[in-house]
């Protein structure tokens, strides 16, 4: 079984995850490629406020102007 690491940036906590099949790995790699492409093109994916946002390591970056549309 293939494994990976999930890093929670806010508290620098890491957990090891196991992928059940190659489709899961491919999906993760496809998402990673889309994120890198958006960064390279300087595209804004948009955002939608959720109560989960308050617990995110990037809360202050996303909501620095207080705009929670």
């Amino acid at each position: 079984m293939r494994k990976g690491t999930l890093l929670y940036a806010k508290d620098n906590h890491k957990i090891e995850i196991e992928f059940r099949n190659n489709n899961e790995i491919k999906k993760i790699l496809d998402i990673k490629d889309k994120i890198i492409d958006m960064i390279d093109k300087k595209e804004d994916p948009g955002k939608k406020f959720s109560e989960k946002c308050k617990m995110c390591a990037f809360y202050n970056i996303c909501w620095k102007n207080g705009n929670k549309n």
Side-chain angles (χ1 to χ4, degrees):
M1 187 151 310
R2 297 189 64 182
K3 297 179 182 182
T5 302
L6 183 60
L7 172 64
Y8 291 90
K10 188 171 185 176
D11 59 4
N12 200 29
H13 176 74
K14 295 180 189 178
I15 60 171
E16 190 172 271
I17 56 174
E18 291 186 15
F19 296 100
R20 294 174 288 210
N21 57 55
N22 287 337
N23 288 336
E24 287 182 340
I25 296 169
K26 183 180 178 331
K27 185 175 180 179
I28 296 286
L29 293 175
D30 287 344
I31 292 169
K32 175 205 52 104
D33 290 342
K34 288 178 184 176
I35 291 169
I36 290 172
D37 189 48
M38 288 172 57
I39 292 168
D40 288 344
K41 292 179 180 176
K42 298 183 185 333
E43 292 178 352
D44 182 351
K47 59 191 174 191
K48 182 177 179 183
F49 183 76
S50 164
E51 285 300 314
K52 294 177 185 178
C53 292
K54 294 177 183 176
M55 309 234 352
C56 178
F58 301 105
Y59 178 83
N60 290 332
I61 296 169
C62 289
W63 306 108
K64 66 183 173 184
N65 296 327
N67 186 5
K68 296 179 179 128
N69 294 340

